[in-house]
Amino acid sequence: MRSVLTWSDKVPDRDGIKSVCYDVAFKPDGTQIVTGVGSRVLVYDAVDGDLLHSLKGHKDSVYAVAYSRDGKRFSSGGADKTIIIWTHKAEGILKYSHSDSIQALEYNPVTQQLASATMSDFGLWSPEQKSVAKHKVSSRILCMSWTNDGQYLALGQFNGNISVRDKSGSEKVLVERTAPVWSICWNPSRDEPYDILACGCWDGTLSFYQLSGIQVGKDKELDYDPCSVAYFSNGEYICIGGTDKKVGLVTKEGTRLTTVAERESWVWCVKPRPKQNYVVVGCEDGTIAMYQLIFSTVHGLYQDRYAYRDFMTDVIIQHLITEQKVRIKCRDYVKKIAVYKGRLAVQLPDRVIIYELSYDDAYDMHYRVSTKIQKRLECNLLVVTSQHVILCQEKKLQLYTFEGEKEREWVLESVIRYIKVVGGPSGKEGLLIGLKSGLVLKIFINNQFPIQLIKHTNSIRCLDLSASRSKLAVVDENTNAMVYDLLSKELLFEEKSANSVAWNTEMEEMFCFSGNGMLSIKTGSFPVHQQKLQGFVVGFKGSKIFCLHYVCMQTIDVPQSASLYRYLEKNDFATAYRVACLGVTENDWRLLAMQALQGMSLEIARKAYIRVRDMRYIELLNRIEHGRRHGKDENLFMAEILAYQQKYQEAAKMYARSNKVELAMEMFSDLRQFEEAKVWAEQYSKEKGGDTSSVQELINRQAQWSEEVNDYEAAADMYIKAKKFDRAIAIIGKNSWSDKLVEVMRQLPKSDTKLLTTCAAYFRKWGDHAYAKETYIKLNDLKSLLGLHVDSNKWEEAFSLLKSCPEHKDKVYLPYAKFLGNNDRFEEARLAYKKAGKPEQSSAMLEQLCHNAVLENRFKDAGYYFWLLAKEMMDSMTQNEVGEDMDLEQSLVDQSEKDHALMHRFRELHARAQAYYAYHFVYISIEEPFHSVFPSTLLNIGRFLLCKFTELQQAPTSGKAMPLGISLAYTLQTLAKHGEQLEAFKTARYAYNKLQGLKIPTNWNDEIDLACIITRSKPFSDKEDLLPVCYRCGTVNPLLNSHGDVCINCGAAFIRSFVTFEHLPLVEFELDHAISDTEAMQLLEAPPPKGEGLRAVQRNKQEPKGDGFKERRHKEDVQTLRFDHDDEEEEASDEELLMNMDDPFQQQMAVPHTPIKATRQILMSLERTEVLVRTWPTPAIPNQYFRIMDPDLPMVIDDAGNFYEQEEYEQASLEQGYSPFTRESPDAIKKPGEGGGAGLGLNTSADFAPQSLMSPMASAQNPRKQAIYG
């Protein structure tokens, strides 16, 4: 590195004030310099030093100047205690003063705030403020500097303190030193991890600090006191001026590099020009000087290793092939660098360090220190070998060992212009030297005498030896490139416009040279090949050229295609292969391989094909070599080569020339050129005497090829013509060509069942039902046809076909049942499962429907599905009738254990069906905002459910758990709420008390607690009208009974309507042991004998005879007729209303907890309309008989054994369209005597009678009708 003085100006003394340049500042764009000299502010042009302005405004010496970062204004201050703000046009716009002389000025780089410092304080001024904020300090301020972000201001003081202040002036950090801090500067680089402050103290040291006050490294000793410190080149270097009258350059770590300038007096200020390698210097004698710094390139190269200097103190070694880089920190000024094989020599100011590679590897980049030469050596060029260091100084060469001993010295006749190590044994390396006189020498370092190679007429600029040391390339000062033969001294080549030259280290006949922005490559005797290139060629290895462009080394890949083509033109395959090894494209390798193969240079061809990994040609080479060993015709080899080159016609002719026409036919066949193949096949057939088998085989291969190239339609057609139906069917099926498959199917004979079955399978897969049916009919495969109908959901055709093959019914009914189930036709699905002989699947389906309905809160549906499950249990029972002389208990004993379990299961499912059906109304009354269920009905449902829960929990399979989905809390809430509403306070209190012991919804808590308190204030009784009366014994029962839904006196079960759940006037009785069901029905149908008192109850009822007339029968021969003016009924006597004790039926009713036995006399005394018979579809369950105690109240019974009042049933059936519980058609109800009493029993005494003609007593005793029908 060196410096050049650009311009200088010395300002004379004026006005009796000595001219001293204390400070200088650059305009941010670097075009102007502002400095204070004497009492003047001077503005210079930074380029040529012209004085632009000499500004007067100060009355005494100017100590400080500063330029704002935006370039719009600058300021000056001095001994007159004033600060003047100037515009960039040198116009003064503002002046303010301090109490002491101004020592330093500094603009904030972000906010344009100006900091001014004096001996006792410092001030902060900004254009937005009219006043200046001033802050006292304890010692004189000598210098100041803002951080890059403008947040902190560092102050250097005379007492040795460095005070770091924020923008408001508050002190944040204090650094104490022992000597005055004369200059400070923050590193402007934003790449540093933290802010670094450089500090120059008058104890002769340079130190560095972080923003936090922590010192970075140790103090750097200087031989002088620094007066000015300034960062240069974006923080990479520091310029220092001081009392030694010099300007020095150091690294950012403080390592001394060189001297930039030497002046005649102290250097008070040094400032770098922004973004340029210039430095301005201000001195004690009033001199202002501008210096340019020129950084030279220090580097070294050997083959593919390039070393160069970085940041003046580091060495970077770059591997030009792998692009790896490694940095060596020398921490001192690097003057020279030399590289040779595994050696690296670095010259520092006072020593030379020798590095060596850690491993003997061509690609290793790990260097370690081998030795040091602790001497100050001066030289122009440095060269290193394996054991020595060579110093070049003008005409002299000096050879030093690594221990620093000088072994040998050569003094040449002229100045050395170029020197290069050309290799050799260790300790005996050779040097190639070019002199200014044009002489080229070769020196072996172990020999005292140089060897003259050639004598050139001009000064040598660049030299290089070929790989065999037989040729020398020279570039002289006139930019001529010349090649000499060292043996004959003959000039072999000459070219102009060259600045550097290099031989290819891997090929003797190839070298390159650069010049005028072009790269020229010379190979053998061929013309020069040129391409564009900027820079100097410094190396050539294989296909890589190393080019130095300014300070950057580039590696350029240069394909050797041009040279390769020229050698191929000469059929010089060996040399062409050597050129290709240097680096060519894959296509060039293929070209070399092909031409070598055609020239029968098989070894070169093999190497080339191995390089491109072409196994086909390698196999061809193997065949050719094998054939040559066995003496085959060369024409055959050429034919194969031509075929591989896609020259098929020429190859066929070569085959024909060798009498191998069949090979030509095979070649065209493999190429799928069947027309050409047929031509050669016909020729071959003629040679063989008319044999057409080869033609037929060719057609088959053509079909196969059509299939391979996805021309399936053509392939199928050819297979059909060739009668190869199996291949044709496979192709047609793969491509779903239905029409073609129909043609094939119709051509196939019936005996070919395998192919016909395959056709049918494809038709089924495509959904072509008609064609599949046709195929199965042709096969006469009824089973498969049946499966086809089933898979296609053609159920009518399937059932029609099933008549001819009933043994396959399970193949139809089972899929049909699944189809029905998937389409929500569950009832039909159940029947289908049964017909398929899979009743267990029917039951499983019903169980799943029950479970789903409960989970989805469809409790009415759940009740219906449970009833269907109960019917399944009935259907599974043994169909043996109960004997006429056996009661129900005896029949259960005689049944098998299975039927016994089924009976219990039936009763449990039946009870669950009733429970879920009833719970449906409870659920909707709570969850739905609107419903049509009356309070009395909900009260009855609640009572019914509590009894039913007890019954279900006692079932063997229940586990004493509540039915799934049913909430006891909902039931009790319904019972309590509507009991309280209907004044059944005792029942409501009971329900509320139970609710408090249950886990209920959180939002119910307050409501339940309040209701409990309210009900406790009510009478502890239920309303009398709500209490049920037993129709057997006449006892008034409580609303809730712990024994179940039975009378507390006689134990008779209450029979409820499954619409309003009211207690119906029904009393159950049993037949005498000697009476069968058939006989019982005959006795009931028979006319009653005269005088029977049992039917007097019927006759004692009033019968309407007309408006206002009522007839009453008292005894058998007594009648009265009465005219009434109101609707009140005449009171009957207690004897008449309660019972006739002379009646055997009434006498048994009076005996509690004993079944009523109906004898033949009793049955004959009863009218058919007074009796309801509950029958079941299975004879395993005996019939049950019920007497209607109120004949004026018509009742019906459904298929599930549930009772209804006729009007309620008809109304519900009309609303819903089916029976409420069983969902059967309402027309399915049969009157007693119709159909033998099977199905539903019906009391028809008042069937379809107008309501006005019904008994007032019946209406009064049934207020639920008023509640429901209004």
Side-chain angles (χ1 to χ4, degrees):
M1 189 202 76
R2 59 191 177 91
S3 60
V4 178
L5 178 63
T6 304
W7 57 266
S8 178
D9 184 28
K10 186 172 182 179
V11 182
D13 297 342
R14 292 190 181 96
D15 304 326
I17 300 174
K18 184 179 179 180
S19 295
V20 179
C21 182
Y22 288 107
D23 199 3
V24 65
F26 272 98
K27 191 175 182 179
D29 61 4
T31 58
Q32 294 180 5
I33 299 174
V34 176
T35 182
V37 181
S39 61
R40 302 288 182 97
V41 177
L42 306 179
V43 181
Y44 288 92
D45 187 309
V47 177
D48 52 16
D50 290 344
L51 180 63
L52 303 178
H53 303 284
S54 179
L55 305 177
K56 300 179 181 180
H58 292 281
K59 300 177 181 178
D60 206 338
S61 297
V62 178
Y63 291 153
V65 293
Y67 225 117
S68 65
R69 186 62 61 93
D70 61 3
K72 294 181 179 180
R73 61 181 66 87
F74 62 90
S75 60
S76 60
D80 60 355
K81 306 177 184 180
T82 61
I83 296 173
I84 301 176
I85 309 298
W86 310 83
T87 68
H88 66 285
K89 296 180 180 179
E91 299 172 350
I93 57 174
L94 180 66
K95 179 187 289 187
Y96 67 91
S97 63
H98 281 265
S99 59
D100 291 308
S101 60
I102 310 302
Q103 300 295 314
L105 294 173
E106 187 77 13
Y107 271 101
N108 190 305
V110 178
T111 64
Q112 312 307 322
Q113 188 179 33
L114 175 65
S116 55
T118 69
M119 299 178 64
S120 59
D121 62 2
F122 71 94
L124 297 174
W125 172 85
S126 62
E128 297 83 11
Q129 298 177 352
K130 295 182 179 179
S131 61
V132 179
K134 298 179 180 179
H135 306 273
K136 292 291 184 180
V137 293
S138 60
S139 178
R140 176 180 179 179
I141 300 174
L142 300 176
C143 53
M144 59 175 57
S145 178
W146 287 97
T147 57
N148 295 326
D149 57 5
Q151 297 295 317
Y152 298 97
L153 174 67
L155 307 177
Q157 297 178 269
F158 189 80
N159 62 359
N161 292 344
I162 301 175
S163 177
V164 180
R165 308 290 182 117
D166 60 14
K167 291 192 297 183
S168 62
S170 301
E171 186 174 72
K172 297 300 180 182
V173 179
L174 179 64
V175 179
E176 296 180 355
R177 295 189 60 83
T178 59
V181 179
W182 206 268
S183 180
I184 57 176
C185 183
W186 292 99
N187 191 328
S189 175
R190 297 186 180 274
D191 298 330
E192 298 292 334
Y194 40 76
D195 292 322
I196 298 293
L197 178 69
C199 171
C201 297
W202 272 23
D203 57 359
T205 61
L206 175 67
S207 55
F208 301 92
Y209 293 90
Q210 298 181 19
L211 181 61
S212 60
I214 300 174
Q215 185 171 358
V216 180
K218 298 181 180 180
D219 292 348
K220 305 295 181 180
E221 294 292 338
L222 304 175
D223 297 333
Y224 55 92
D225 292 332
C227 296
S228 178
V229 174
Y231 277 94
F232 175 76
S233 184
N234 195 29
E236 295 176 4
Y237 309 103
I238 300 175
C239 290
I240 305 176
T243 58
D244 64 343
K245 305 178 184 180
K246 297 179 181 179
V247 177
L249 184 69
V250 301
T251 65
K252 62 182 179 181
E253 292 86 9
T255 302
R256 176 175 174 78
L257 298 176
T258 186
T259 299
V260 174
E262 295 186 11
R263 306 301 301 172
E264 297 177 355
S265 61
W266 286 12
V267 177
W268 279 111
C269 55
V270 176
K271 291 292 176 66
R273 185 176 180 182
K275 300 179 181 180
Q276 297 188 44
N277 293 341
Y278 289 86
V279 174
V280 66
V281 179
C283 301
E284 172 74 22
D285 59 1
T287 302
I288 303 169
M290 178 74 76
Y291 287 89
Q292 180 184 8
L293 276 66
I294 301 173
F295 292 88
S296 59
T297 303
V298 176
H299 59 160
L301 173 72
Y302 182 78
Q303 292 185 356
D304 53 10
R305 290 181 185 266
Y306 175 65
Y308 61 94
R309 182 177 65 183
D310 191 34
F311 295 142
M312 307 295 286
T313 60
D314 295 350
V315 176
I316 294 179
I317 301 96
Q318 177 183 357
H319 198 291
L320 299 177
I321 302 299
T322 63
E323 295 296 333
Q324 296 182 73
K325 291 183 179 180
V326 62
R327 179 184 294 270
I328 299 177
K329 292 183 175 293
C330 298
R331 294 181 174 83
D332 205 345
Y333 179 42
V334 176
K335 300 179 69 174
K336 296 288 187 294
I337 298 173
V339 182
Y340 176 72
K341 293 185 178 178
R343 300 289 183 178
L344 170 67
V346 179
Q347 182 186 15
L348 303 179
D350 57 352
R351 64 194 182 277
V352 177
I353 302 177
I354 309 299
Y355 296 88
E356 65 180 0
L357 287 173
S358 299
Y359 305 99
D360 188 12
D361 183 4
Y363 298 101
D364 182 35
M365 295 295 290
H366 296 85
Y367 283 86
R368 63 187 179 189
V369 177
S370 174
T371 185
K372 297 181 181 178
I373 303 176
Q374 298 291 349
K375 289 184 178 181
R376 183 183 296 272
L377 303 175
E378 297 296 334
C379 64
N380 295 332
L381 295 173
L382 177 68
V383 178
V384 65
T385 63
S386 57
Q387 297 180 13
H388 297 84
V389 173
I390 297 99
L391 305 180
C392 176
Q393 185 70 25
E394 298 295 335
K395 300 179 182 181
K396 186 187 301 183
L397 284 178
Q398 294 176 330
L399 180 69
Y400 286 85
T401 65
F402 287 164
E403 289 75 24
E405 299 178 0
K406 184 168 72 170
E407 284 191 356
R408 193 167 285 108
E409 182 177 281
W410 296 271
V411 178
L412 306 179
E413 66 178 39
S414 178
V415 176
I416 300 172
R417 295 294 304 275
Y418 189 86
I419 183 170
K420 181 177 183 179
V421 182
V422 292
S426 177
K428 302 177 181 179
E429 289 87 356
L431 303 179
L432 186 65
I433 300 172
L435 304 182
K436 186 176 182 181
S437 62
L439 188 63
V440 178
L441 303 175
K442 187 175 183 180
I443 296 178
F444 293 97
I445 61 175
N446 63 336
N447 192 328
Q448 183 67 35
F449 303 100
I451 301 173
Q452 179 177 334
L453 297 181
I454 62 169
K455 179 65 175 75
H456 190 59
T457 56
N458 295 319
S459 176
I460 303 300
R461 184 173 184 179
C462 183
L463 294 171
D464 198 13
L465 274 177
S466 64
S468 65
R469 310 291 194 272
S470 63
K471 296 178 182 178
L472 175 67
V474 179
V475 175
D476 62 17
E477 284 294 337
N478 296 330
T479 68
N480 295 321
M482 290 158 285
V483 177
Y484 291 92
D485 187 322
L486 294 179
L487 296 178
S488 62
K489 310 300 182 182
E490 180 184 356
L491 179 63
L492 302 178
F493 173 79
E494 183 177 5
E495 186 74 24
K496 295 185 180 296
S497 301
N499 52 30
S500 62
V501 66
W503 284 96
N504 195 320
T505 59
E506 296 182 2
M507 188 172 181
E508 174 73 18
E509 301 296 325
M510 185 179 297
F511 71 94
C512 67
F513 56 92
S514 59
N516 288 341
M518 299 296 293
L519 171 67
S520 302
I521 301 175
K522 173 69 173 175
T523 305
S525 60
F526 302 122
V528 175
H529 172 72
Q530 290 186 328
Q531 66 182 58
K532 291 184 178 180
L533 177 71
Q534 296 294 329
F536 298 86
V537 170
V538 295
F540 192 7
K541 184 177 181 179
S543 63
K544 297 183 181 296
I545 291 179
F546 308 133
C547 173
L548 180 64
H549 185 50
Y550 294 107
V551 295
C552 178
M553 183 66 74
Q554 300 175 349
T555 301
I556 301 171
D557 283 317
V558 180
Q560 303 294 336
S561 302
S563 302
L564 175 69
Y565 298 155
R566 293 188 174 100
Y567 282 114
L568 289 178
E569 290 174 0
K570 290 186 173 183
N571 291 329
D572 187 353
F573 301 117
T575 308
Y577 175 74
R578 290 171 52 208
V579 172
C581 290
L582 299 179
V584 294
T585 64
E586 183 174 345
N587 289 334
D588 292 336
W589 276 106
R590 291 187 180 279
L591 178 63
L592 170 62
M594 185 61 67
Q595 293 201 15
L597 181 60
Q598 290 177 349
M600 285 299 170
S601 181
L602 301 183
E603 187 62 28
I604 299 297
R606 177 181 295 278
K607 292 179 180 179
Y609 280 124
I610 290 174
R611 184 64 176 261
V612 297
R613 299 180 181 180
D614 194 332
M615 298 305 299
R616 292 174 58 253
Y617 276 100
I618 293 175
E619 292 174 359
L620 174 62
L621 284 167
N622 292 336
R623 290 200 301 272
I624 292 175
E625 290 177 349
H626 182 269
R628 293 181 99 182
R629 287 196 297 268
H630 289 78
K632 287 189 177 180
D633 189 355
E634 291 286 336
N635 290 330
L636 290 177
F637 303 146
M638 290 305 302
E640 287 195 51
I641 294 172
L642 291 170
Y644 270 72
Q645 295 177 357
Q646 300 182 2
K647 300 176 180 179
Y648 304 119
Q649 294 295 338
E650 298 175 16
K653 293 176 182 178
M654 294 298 293
Y655 280 129
R657 191 178 301 171
S658 300
N659 296 322
K660 295 291 183 180
V661 178
E662 67 276 10
L663 295 180
M665 180 187 68
E666 182 179 355
M667 176 186 67
F668 283 115
S669 177
D670 291 340
L671 292 170
R672 308 301 186 252
Q673 297 181 10
F674 294 104
E675 297 302 324
E676 292 290 339
K678 288 177 183 178
V679 173
W680 291 97
E682 291 173 358
Q683 180 177 343
Y684 181 74
S685 299
K686 293 177 182 179
E687 295 178 359
K688 293 296 182 179
D691 185 7
T692 61
S693 59
S694 59
V695 178
Q696 185 67 29
E697 178 62 24
L698 189 63
I699 295 174
N700 291 335
R701 294 180 66 178
Q702 184 177 1
Q704 293 175 3
W705 172 79
S706 299
E707 185 176 358
E708 290 174 3
V709 299
N710 300 332
D711 189 1
Y712 297 114
E713 186 172 3
D717 291 338
M718 284 186 284
Y719 279 130
I720 292 173
K721 292 177 181 178
K723 302 298 182 181
K724 291 189 176 182
F725 294 113
D726 54 343
R727 295 296 305 148
I729 291 173
I731 294 174
I732 292 171
K734 182 180 179 181
N735 292 275
S736 303
W737 292 330
S738 178
D739 295 338
K740 284 187 178 292
L741 190 59
V742 171
E743 296 176 6
V744 174
M745 181 268 293
R746 290 173 178 170
Q747 291 182 36
L748 289 172
K750 294 182 179 180
S751 59
D752 200 344
T753 56
K754 182 178 179 180
L755 294 181
L756 286 172
T757 303
T758 304
C759 292
Y762 278 121
F763 287 134
R764 293 181 69 169
K765 179 181 177 181
W766 301 334
D768 291 337
H769 180 269
Y771 294 138
K773 179 179 177 181
E774 180 183 347
T775 308
Y776 284 130
I777 292 175
K778 186 174 183 178
L779 285 168
N780 196 26
D781 188 354
L782 299 182
K783 181 179 178 180
S784 298
L785 182 58
L786 195 62
L788 172 67
H789 293 323
V790 169
D791 293 343
S792 303
N793 294 332
K794 305 287 186 179
W795 302 111
E796 293 183 2
E797 297 183 28
F799 288 122
S800 176
L801 183 62
L802 187 60
K803 295 177 182 178
S804 59
C805 49
E807 66 275 8
H808 299 304
K809 67 175 183 178
D810 57 329
K811 303 294 184 183
V812 177
Y813 280 107
L814 192 58
Y816 183 55
K818 293 179 180 178
F819 167 77
L820 294 172
N822 292 334
N823 288 274
D824 299 337
R825 295 164 63 182
F826 303 114
E827 186 64 28
E828 299 174 67
R830 285 195 316 112
L831 298 176
Y833 276 126
K834 291 180 180 180
K835 290 184 179 180
K838 299 289 184 181
E840 67 280 359
Q841 294 195 20
S842 173
S843 299
M845 181 187 70
L846 284 176
E847 289 176 358
Q848 186 64 44
L849 289 173
C850 292
H851 186 72
N852 292 345
V854 170
L855 293 181
E856 296 170 6
N857 298 327
R858 295 183 290 107
F859 298 108
K860 198 169 185 180
D861 293 340
Y864 172 67
Y865 294 135
F866 271 111
W867 159 239
L868 294 180
L869 266 177
K871 288 179 67 177
E872 294 281 346
M873 296 302 105
M874 284 195 298
D875 295 341
S876 302
M877 293 181 189
T878 306
Q879 301 297 317
N880 295 327
E881 294 187 6
V882 180
E884 295 182 356
D885 55 347
M886 297 173 62
D887 58 10
L888 177 60
E889 296 299 330
Q890 185 62 34
S891 66
L892 290 176
V893 172
D894 293 342
Q895 289 175 354
S896 66
E897 292 184 2
K898 178 181 178 182
D899 286 351
H900 190 69
L902 290 173
M903 176 65 73
H904 284 291
R905 181 64 175 158
F906 162 72
R907 289 178 176 173
E908 180 187 349
L909 293 172
H910 186 264
R912 285 182 180 273
Q914 292 179 332
Y916 280 114
Y917 172 79
Y919 184 73
H920 162 75
F921 300 103
V922 172
Y923 181 79
I924 64 173
S925 70
I926 292 180
E927 293 292 339
E928 295 184 4
F930 303 104
H931 61 85
S932 60
V933 187
F934 288 92
S936 59
T937 301
L938 292 172
L939 179 64
N940 293 331
I941 291 174
R943 295 165 52 208
F944 171 77
L945 284 175
L946 289 181
C947 297
K948 191 60 67 176
F949 293 162
T950 304
E951 177 185 347
L952 288 173
Q953 289 175 347
Q954 293 174 354
T957 60
S958 66
K960 296 187 178 181
M962 288 290 294
L964 177 67
I966 291 181
S967 171
L968 180 59
Y970 276 32
T971 305
L972 291 173
Q973 169 70 355
T974 302
L975 189 64
K977 177 179 178 182
H978 297 289
E980 183 180 7
Q981 183 179 355
L982 297 174
E983 300 181 10
F985 300 117
K986 182 178 180 181
T987 302
R989 184 184 296 186
Y990 167 82
Y992 282 131
N993 289 340
K994 287 288 186 181
L995 276 173
Q996 286 186 319
L998 299 177
K999 184 178 180 180
I1000 59 176
T1002 306
N1003 57 343
W1004 286 13
N1005 289 330
D1006 295 340
E1007 181 183 351
I1008 298 300
D1009 293 341
L1010 179 62
C1012 285
I1013 296 173
I1014 293 175
T1015 53
R1016 291 180 184 277
S1017 66
K1018 303 296 182 181
F1020 188 61
S1021 61
D1022 294 329
K1023 189 176 181 181
E1024 187 176 353
D1025 294 344
L1026 299 176
L1027 299 178
V1029 179
C1030 177
Y1031 286 98
R1032 175 172 173 172
C1033 65
T1035 304
V1036 178
N1037 283 262
L1039 289 178
L1040 296 178
N1041 183 2
S1042 61
H1043 298 291
D1045 202 16
V1046 298
C1047 177
I1048 60 174
N1049 179 43
C1050 63
F1054 291 156
I1055 311 300
R1056 297 188 178 275
S1057 166
F1058 264 70
V1059 174
T1060 62
F1061 286 85
E1062 283 283 354
H1063 177 200
L1064 295 176
L1066 293 173
V1067 176
E1068 184 179 2
F1069 63 91
E1070 300 176 358
L1071 299 178
D1072 193 75
H1073 293 301
I1075 304 175
S1076 64
D1077 290 329
T1078 304
E1079 183 182 357
M1081 295 303 298
Q1082 292 174 355
L1083 293 173
L1084 287 173
E1085 295 291 342
K1090 293 183 178 181
E1092 290 293 338
L1094 196 61
R1095 299 194 180 182
V1097 177
Q1098 174 72 20
R1099 293 189 295 271
N1100 283 343
K1101 301 298 179 181
Q1102 295 179 355
E1103 297 178 359
K1105 297 295 184 177
D1107 291 341
F1109 291 91
K1110 293 183 180 179
E1111 180 181 357
R1112 183 175 182 182
R1113 297 182 180 180
H1114 298 276
K1115 293 183 179 180
E1116 183 179 355
D1117 299 330
V1118 180
Q1119 292 184 1
T1120 61
L1121 185 65
R1122 175 179 173 180
F1123 178 78
D1124 290 332
H1125 295 285
D1126 54 17
D1127 293 335
E1128 295 183 359
E1129 182 180 355
E1130 182 180 352
E1131 294 293 333
S1133 65
D1134 294 340
E1135 180 182 359
E1136 292 174 334
L1137 291 176
L1138 290 177
M1139 61 183 66
N1140 185 353
M1141 296 308 296
D1142 294 335
D1143 183 358
F1145 193 90
Q1146 294 283 358
Q1147 292 174 0
Q1148 294 186 58
M1149 287 174 58
V1151 180
H1153 302 289
T1154 303
I1156 300 174
K1157 298 289 186 178
T1159 62
R1160 289 183 177 86
Q1161 181 184 0
I1162 294 175
L1163 291 173
M1164 291 181 63
S1165 302
L1166 294 173
E1167 292 189 6
R1168 180 66 184 88
T1169 57
E1170 293 181 67
V1171 179
L1172 280 176
V1173 183
R1174 179 189 282 170
T1175 61
W1176 300 101
T1178 174
I1181 304 177
N1183 294 345
Q1184 293 174 275
Y1185 295 85
F1186 300 87
R1187 181 179 178 184
I1188 301 174
M1189 304 309 295
D1190 186 0
D1192 289 338
L1193 187 63
M1195 291 181 234
V1196 296
I1197 181 172
D1198 62 12
D1199 197 23
N1202 299 320
F1203 295 89
Y1204 307 87
E1205 292 185 19
Q1206 182 179 337
E1207 293 182 5
E1208 297 171 351
Y1209 178 83
E1210 292 175 352
Q1211 181 71 18
S1213 298
L1214 288 173
E1215 290 176 355
Q1216 301 178 22
Y1218 48 74
S1219 175
F1221 188 86
T1222 61
R1223 302 192 181 180
E1224 301 286 347
S1225 173
D1227 299 334
I1229 300 176
K1230 298 182 180 180
K1231 299 178 182 179
E1234 296 179 0
L1240 299 176
L1242 176 65
N1243 174 20
T1244 58
S1245 61
D1247 196 14
F1248 306 117
Q1251 188 173 355
S1252 61
L1253 298 180
M1254 294 185 65
S1255 169
M1257 181 179 293
S1259 300
Q1261 291 178 353
N1262 293 278
R1264 58 187 175 276
K1265 294 180 181 178
Q1266 304 293 334
I1268 295 177
Y1269 302 114

